[in-house]
Amino acid sequence: MMATSAENSTAATGGGHPPPSSQLRSTRGDPHRWLILGVICLAQLTVLLDNTVLNVAIPSLTRELDASTSDIQWMINAYSLVQSGLLLTAGSSADRYGRKKMLAAGLVLFGAGSLVAGLAQSTGQLIAARAGMGVGGALLMTTTLAVVVQIFDDTERVRAIGLWATVNSLGFAAGPLIGGVMLDHFWWGAIFLINIPVAVIGLIAVLALVPESKNPLGDRPDLVGALLSTVGMTGVVYAIISGPQHGWTSAHVGISALVGLVVLAAFVVWELRIPYPMLDMHFFRNQQFTGAVAGAILVAFGMGGSLFLLTQHLQFVLGYGALEAGLRTAPMALTVVALNLTGVGARILPKLGTPATIATGMSCLAAGLAAIAVLGGDSYGGMLLGLVVMGAGISVAMPAMANAIMSAIPPEKAGVGAGVNGTLAEFGNGLGVAVLGAVLNSRFAALVSVSAASLPAALAAAKSGAERERIADAFSSGLETSQLVGAVAVLVGGLLAAALLRRAERADSAVKAAA
């Protein structure tokens, strides 16, 4: 099946014969490969921090920019949606024009976007700046994993991807902590300005250390596909975000959802017909690829949505400040780092196999989300248990899924493979924020009748202490419901991904036995 996928990919894309194996693997065995891994992980960390660093700034943005809940969701999703829409094109461009060039360009664009975001004076300006940062982030996300695949051979790749995934998870989970530290000493714009020196250091290191690698016969960028995927995903997520405010059956929501789905369908048709697709749909014939795709979306869904809810839970319900809330999310990141640096995930994978490893990790992630919902409503103790269990699940599942996706794609398309992996993560993150945020808003609106667009505004408009308590209880109930929905989605997705991967392994074994 994998061979068939590779052949179909070459035929469908019109890229001619792939370059010789020696050309594709010429950078493997580089004596500085572990130092290079550190450099690209620094670049990766900068991008990933901005997926979650904004979460602890929600109260500050609500007060200082008069931002509503939907405004906050768009500040978060503008970054992830633009990034996810461009990742595949960025990966294709990196394969063709050079991964080092694209990595350097991404750092420059990301640093410039961070400067604009840090100086924004309104919600609209910040949303636009976040969208611009997503362009630079797309270049960084694709090239980092593609470089890892190119410089490490099969014997070291699982461990290298495990360390890359550690930084991936660390950036995702440590964002609230770093954001809390910054907000405790500076104004909210500092959480973006801190990116600039990191981007400069990363740029210097990339230019000095990272070797250039590319596939000169690679496909030209699919700009129409990039536009269609971005518009389609934006339409669907916009419908989900605006559902509670306008009503799920309203024309406003229905038209947005319809436009999004129609454009996504057009994207699929376009990719099937053109000779240089951004995403070769033949990859989905590979059950290993499809199973890993399903798992990757749901892990990102659970992580993105849970952190969006968790920081509000810590600040609005339990009453912690920004720094205190950030510190209390740290156990998840520390668990991921500890388990992956000690090589736990890399050792589990060959023993259990990919399907069982992914099922185990995602079951832990779902159990952690459920523990936070059930045990963390009134105190931090139950929440701490859930965060540690979530961290363990992430450290086991994410490297296995990234390796499964990259192994199912021909090596000459490493950039596209990294783009697929990044697209799934970013879209899953945005979808998690949108869906679980919508569940929260719907549950909250069902329990209390308030016209305010956010919890602080609703509390400020309350006329008595009893009404404020009732509003706070309704918000807490909405958080619990949203977290349980996320837990169920992650568990079902993990079991589905494991089943598809197991089926793919059996099919491959049958083909080998027949041969």
Side-chain angles (χ1 to χ4, degrees):
M1 179 64 73
M2 290 174 62
T4 302
S5 179
E7 291 166 2
N8 287 337
S9 173
T10 303
T13 57
H17 298 291
S21 178
S22 59
Q23 181 179 347
L24 291 169
R25 300 173 184 264
S26 59
T27 57
R28 294 186 181 175
D30 189 297
H32 303 296
R33 59 190 178 279
W34 294 105
L35 181 58
I36 293 169
L37 178 63
V39 171
I40 62 178
C41 283
L42 176 65
Q44 178 86 345
L45 182 63
T46 308
V47 179
L48 291 166
L49 286 174
D50 270 81
N51 277 315
T52 56
V53 72
L54 204 62
N55 285 319
V56 292
I58 290 174
S60 299
L61 293 168
T62 301
R63 290 190 304 267
E64 297 180 28
L65 294 182
D66 194 27
S68 66
T69 299
S70 61
D71 288 333
I72 297 295
Q73 288 177 295
W74 276 111
M75 289 175 191
I76 295 171
N77 280 330
Y79 178 71
S80 59
L81 285 171
V82 170
Q83 195 174 86
S84 60
L86 295 177
L87 277 167
L88 292 171
T89 293
S92 177
S93 299
D95 286 339
R96 182 179 179 91
Y97 301 115
R99 298 172 184 113
K100 179 177 180 176
K101 292 186 184 72
M102 294 299 106
L103 188 55
L107 283 165
V108 171
L109 292 173
F110 190 80
S114 297
L115 177 62
V116 176
L119 301 178
Q121 299 295 313
S122 67
T123 57
Q125 291 176 6
L126 183 53
I127 291 170
R130 291 275 291 171
M133 290 171 66
V135 178
L139 293 172
L140 291 173
M141 289 282 287
T142 52
T143 48
T144 52
L145 183 56
V147 170
V148 170
V149 172
Q150 291 297 317
I151 64 176
F152 289 96
D153 59 24
D154 296 341
T155 60
E156 294 180 322
R157 188 188 305 151
V158 174
R159 184 184 174 196
I161 289 180
L163 293 174
W164 174 87
T166 298
V167 174
N168 206 347
S169 303
L170 177 62
F172 210 90
L177 173 60
I178 294 174
V181 172
M182 298 299 296
L183 289 171
D184 199 49
H185 295 87
F186 307 100
W187 94 111
W188 62 264
I191 63 178
F192 299 110
L193 298 182
I194 193 64
N195 293 335
I196 298 174
V198 178
V200 171
I201 294 171
L203 178 62
I204 294 171
V206 165
L207 295 176
L209 294 172
V210 175
E212 184 61 281
S213 63
K214 60 183 176 179
N215 173 16
L217 300 180
D219 305 324
R220 59 180 178 176
D222 175 17
L223 299 180
V224 174
L227 177 63
L228 290 173
S229 64
T230 302
V231 171
M233 288 188 290
T234 301
V236 171
V237 174
Y238 178 76
I240 295 171
I241 290 176
S242 59
Q245 179 182 358
H246 297 279
W248 293 105
T249 59
S250 67
H252 185 94
V253 173
I255 292 174
S256 176
L258 180 62
V259 169
L261 292 173
V262 169
V263 173
L264 285 177
F267 168 73
V268 173
V269 173
W270 173 262
E271 296 301 290
L272 287 170
R273 290 190 172 187
I274 62 172
Y276 46 91
M278 182 173 74
L279 176 60
D280 189 346
M281 294 298 165
H282 294 99
F283 288 155
F284 290 95
R285 294 180 180 177
N286 187 329
Q287 294 179 8
Q288 176 185 346
F289 178 80
T290 304
V293 162
I297 291 176
L298 269 298
V299 164
F301 177 96
M303 288 176 64
S306 65
L307 283 174
F308 173 72
L309 299 173
L310 183 61
T311 51
Q312 296 186 70
H313 191 158
L314 287 166
Q315 294 181 77
F316 290 149
V317 177
L318 299 184
Y320 294 111
L323 176 58
E324 294 173 312
L327 287 170
R328 281 164 175 77
T329 63
M332 179 167 67
L334 293 175
T335 301
V336 172
V337 172
L339 292 180
N340 273 332
L341 287 181
T342 54
V344 172
R347 290 197 297 269
I348 289 177
L349 182 59
K351 291 181 180 179
L352 297 182
T354 301
T357 300
I358 290 178
T360 300
M362 294 187 70
S363 295
C364 287
L365 178 55
L369 280 168
I372 291 173
V374 176
L375 304 176
D378 299 320
S379 68
Y380 180 68
M383 188 176 292
L384 175 61
L385 172 64
L387 288 170
V388 171
V389 175
M390 283 180 66
I394 293 166
S395 66
V396 171
M398 284 194 69
M401 284 187 296
N403 190 61
I405 289 174
M406 297 304 290
S407 298
I409 290 179
E412 66 270 16
K413 291 184 175 291
V416 173
V420 170
N421 187 74
T423 298
L424 301 176
E426 289 304 314
F427 183 58
N429 174 49
L431 199 60
V433 171
V435 172
L436 298 190
V439 173
L440 167 62
N441 290 340
S442 296
R443 178 65 174 165
F444 181 58
L447 294 175
V448 292
S449 297
V450 293
S451 57
S454 65
L455 177 64
L459 292 174
K463 298 179 180 179
S464 65
E467 185 177 357
R468 280 192 292 272
E469 183 177 354
R470 184 166 58 87
I471 291 172
D473 288 343
F475 189 79
S476 180
S477 177
L479 284 170
E480 179 181 340
T481 301
S482 302
Q483 287 160 342
L484 288 174
V485 169
V488 171
V490 169
L491 179 61
V492 172
L495 297 177
L496 173 63
L500 290 172
L501 288 166
R502 179 72 68 189
R503 184 177 176 185
E505 288 185 352
R506 289 174 179 170
D508 288 343
S509 298
V511 170
K512 290 178 181 178

